[in-house]
């Protein structure tokens, strides 16, 4: 009887251990959270295209086109050009925004269930034509909610690390943030022309994976 009791005790411990292992399993990964990252659908229902002007004095002028001139797949990209850049911190951005399930997200917002500590990886393919200055930047970041005055929760970018300049065919660029912060309210992927940057860039195949 003692042997049987010992066997049953070990069996129960083993089942409990395996159950805990299943409960502790990593949440299902997200291969790509970005909607219309290949820009094959008209992009402006999914993407925000905007020019931020910190200075109103001689702001930079940008042209933004839904283009078939160049693409990495299959036929469309976003073409952004700037012929003259002044030292006034004006920049063009292309952004997609997401919210977490616990947030009071706006109607129609994209909701992502990202566990605390998850790794985020953003990728984008960019073609450059005579891009000069600080160049193009890709970034991923997030903000806390109202209780923290929407302060930055995290931010990482290629700025100062990976130059996206010159004349190059489509090339994939990527950045990674290793640990998604708790209580994040919203997050975004972003591609922007740095201030003082001139030339033309084509954006395609933007993705955000979670694992």
């Amino acid at each position: 009887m003692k042997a049987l009791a010992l066997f049953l005790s070990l069996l129960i411990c083993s089942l409990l251990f395996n159950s805990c292992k299943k409960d502790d399993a990593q949440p299902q990964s997200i291969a790509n959270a970005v909607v219309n990252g290949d820009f094959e659908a008209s992009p402006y229902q999914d993407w925000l295209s905007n020019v931020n002007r910190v200075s109103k004095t001689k702001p930079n002028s940008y042209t933004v086109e839904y283009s078939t001139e160049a693409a990495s797949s299959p036929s469309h990209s976003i073409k952004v050009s700037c012929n003259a850049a002044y030292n006034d911190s004006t920049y063009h951005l292309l952004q997609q925004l997401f919210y977490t399930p616990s947030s009071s997200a706006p109607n129609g917002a994209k909701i992502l269930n990202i566990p605390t500590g998850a790794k985020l990886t953003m990728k984008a393919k960019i073609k450059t034509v005579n891009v000069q200055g600080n160049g193009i930047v890709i970034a991923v970041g997030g903000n806390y909610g109202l209780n923290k005055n929407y302060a930055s929760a995290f931010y990482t970018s290629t700025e100062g690390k990976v130059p996206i300049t010159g004349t190059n065919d489509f090339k994939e660029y990527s950045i990674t943030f290793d640990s998604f912060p708790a209580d994040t309210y919203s997050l975004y992927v972003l591609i922007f022309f740095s201030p003082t940057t001139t030339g033309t860039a084509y954006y395609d195949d933007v993705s955000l994976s979670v694992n």
Side-chain angles (χ1 to χ4, degrees):
M1 291 294 294
K2 288 184 178 179
L4 178 59
L6 178 60
F7 172 77
L8 290 174
S9 177
L10 291 172
L11 178 61
I12 291 169
C13 287
S14 175
L15 291 171
L16 287 173
F17 177 72
N18 288 331
S19 175
C20 289
K21 283 177 68 180
K22 289 179 181 178
D23 289 342
D24 292 340
Q26 291 296 317
Q28 186 175 5
S29 62
I30 302 173
N32 183 12
V34 171
V35 177
N36 191 24
D38 61 3
F39 303 112
E40 290 308 304
S42 180
Y44 298 112
Q45 60 187 5
D46 302 307
W47 293 89
L48 169 68
S49 174
N50 194 27
V51 176
N52 283 2
R53 296 179 175 88
V54 177
S55 170
K56 303 296 184 182
T57 305
K58 295 185 71 176
N60 303 344
S61 178
Y62 298 91
T63 59
V64 183
E65 302 173 51
Y66 183 44
S67 176
T68 56
E69 291 179 1
S72 64
S73 69
S75 59
H76 288 79
S77 66
I78 300 298
K79 175 185 177 182
V80 184
S81 299
C82 180
N83 292 327
Y86 307 98
N87 189 16
D88 68 351
S89 66
T90 301
Y91 61 96
H92 174 269
L93 62 86
L94 189 73
Q95 183 183 61
Q96 191 162 137
L97 184 64
F98 311 90
Y99 291 85
T100 58
S102 60
S103 67
S104 53
N107 290 335
K110 302 176 186 71
I111 305 298
L112 291 182
N113 188 3
I114 301 179
T116 298
K119 182 170 77 171
L120 309 181
T121 300
M122 177 190 175
K123 297 180 181 180
K125 293 180 181 178
I126 301 175
K127 173 185 172 77
T128 53
V129 180
N130 195 30
V131 172
Q132 301 180 27
N134 291 332
I136 313 302
V137 176
I138 68 169
V140 60
N143 294 85
Y144 294 115
L146 178 61
N147 60 329
K148 293 187 179 180
N149 296 317
Y150 302 104
S152 176
F154 72 98
Y155 178 83
T156 187
S157 77
T158 56
E159 190 168 17
K161 304 167 191 172
V162 180
I164 307 178
T165 56
T167 298
N168 300 284
D169 203 354
F170 278 103
K171 179 180 177 181
E172 185 174 80
Y173 300 89
S174 67
I175 49 174
T176 297
F177 188 80
D178 287 328
S179 186
F180 186 70
D183 301 322
T184 300
Y185 168 74
S186 62
L187 62 149
Y188 55 85
V189 293
L190 178 67
I191 308 176
F192 66 92
F193 253 73
S194 296
T196 75
T197 297
T198 59
T200 297
Y202 299 84
Y203 309 148
D204 207 352
D205 294 333
V206 184
S207 65
L208 176 67
S209 64
V210 179
N211 48 47

